[in-house]
Amino acid sequence: MRRLNTGSNLSRHFQESMWLYIVSLLCLFTGIVLGIYTVRYMDDLQRQDLISYFLDFNKNISTMEVKNTAVIIESLKNNLPMLLVLWVAGLTIIGIPIILIVDIVKGFFFGFATTFAFYSMGYKGTWFVLLGVLPQNIIYIPCLIVASVLAMRLSFSKLKDRVNKQINYNKNYFLDYSVTFFIILLVMILGFLYEAYVTPRAIQTIATAAGSVIF
């Protein structure tokens, strides 16, 4: 019975929030497109600097000792601030623009990283993206999209209450909101672990097999 209630609640959530998911996804795809075009139209000098850095990384990664704890900390630095910003933004009446900007920024980083890998490594960049970029983002991106929608729903609710001059503070809803974000963080930890323990080995394998990057 509890499982049926959970399924019903999830179904109702997606039905009620479908347009918010569409808006969030549109912002994400906008960011991806911006990332793609940034790589394609960036200054030649900037591009060469990035390529040089990527070359050095490619040469050294196969012999580098991977510190898994350091990678996890770096993953937290890259993703946890976004989740915290979304959580805080949902608690304010002006949070919606901030939430949409976070979606655009996440899309930009993903689009930039994948496009630059293809641009630098050619067909070998496919393996770099499939093994080194895509897997953890399959976890991160849906988590951030769900967090964005939850935050927008709460922000809209607060804005509506302010317009109607109502005070509708629901302690239980705030608790549910925060607990849901904590669950999202727990799911994202799977991505952190993959990025720390699997991604470095995959990239080392690609670097060793590729030998050198050909432009």
Side-chain angles (χ1 to χ4, degrees):
M1 186 68 178
R2 191 172 182 179
R3 187 177 299 175
L4 289 175
N5 289 335
T6 301
S8 177
N9 290 336
L10 287 174
S11 177
R12 186 171 66 252
H13 164 76
F14 284 113
Q15 289 177 0
E16 294 175 351
S17 307
M18 183 60 64
W19 70 277
L20 292 177
Y21 279 101
I22 293 173
V23 170
S24 186
L25 286 170
L26 284 174
C27 289
L28 178 75
F29 288 133
T30 298
I32 291 174
V33 171
L34 290 174
I36 293 172
Y37 275 90
T38 298
V39 174
R40 291 191 62 184
Y41 295 104
M42 68 192 309
D43 181 78
D44 288 339
L45 182 61
Q46 292 177 323
R47 188 186 293 116
Q48 287 303 319
D49 287 341
L50 281 174
I51 288 174
S52 296
Y53 174 82
F54 199 80
L55 273 169
D56 292 337
F57 175 80
N58 187 68
K59 290 177 181 178
N60 296 328
I61 187 63
S62 59
T63 57
M64 285 173 58
E65 180 183 354
V66 178
K67 297 181 179 180
N68 304 116
T69 303
V71 176
I72 289 177
I73 292 173
E74 192 64 28
S75 299
L76 284 168
K77 289 180 180 179
N78 291 336
N79 294 280
L80 189 57
M82 289 188 179
L83 192 62
L84 288 174
V85 168
L86 292 174
W87 181 78
V88 172
L91 299 175
T92 69
I93 63 173
I94 58 171
I96 294 172
I98 299 172
I99 295 166
L100 298 180
I101 289 172
V102 170
D103 290 339
I104 292 173
V105 169
K106 181 59 182 177
F108 176 85
F109 286 141
F110 180 75
F112 186 93
T114 54
T115 304
F116 190 78
F118 286 126
Y119 189 92
S120 301
M121 302 179 70
Y123 73 92
K124 296 170 186 173
T126 303
W127 292 108
F128 184 89
V129 171
L130 289 177
L131 298 177
V133 178
L134 189 59
Q136 59 265 33
N137 278 287
I138 288 177
I139 298 174
Y140 296 154
I141 290 176
C143 283
L144 289 175
I145 292 296
V146 172
S148 296
V149 170
L150 292 173
M152 280 191 284
R153 285 190 62 171
L154 184 56
S155 184
F156 265 124
S157 178
K158 288 184 172 295
L159 180 60
K160 182 179 178 180
D161 290 343
R162 176 62 63 88
V163 171
N164 295 331
K165 296 181 179 180
Q166 295 177 349
I167 298 177
N168 187 21
Y169 179 74
N170 189 326
K171 186 177 180 180
N172 289 333
Y173 188 83
F174 172 78
L175 181 61
D176 291 343
Y177 174 76
S178 299
V179 168
T180 304
F181 264 75
F182 181 71
I183 293 172
I184 290 172
L185 175 60
L186 293 180
V187 175
M188 291 181 73
I189 289 176
L190 296 175
F192 300 154
L193 294 174
Y194 182 94
E195 195 167 356
Y197 291 95
V198 179
T199 297
R201 306 293 185 271
I203 294 177
Q204 285 178 335
T205 301
I206 295 167
T208 301
S212 61
V213 180
I214 302 174
F215 300 96

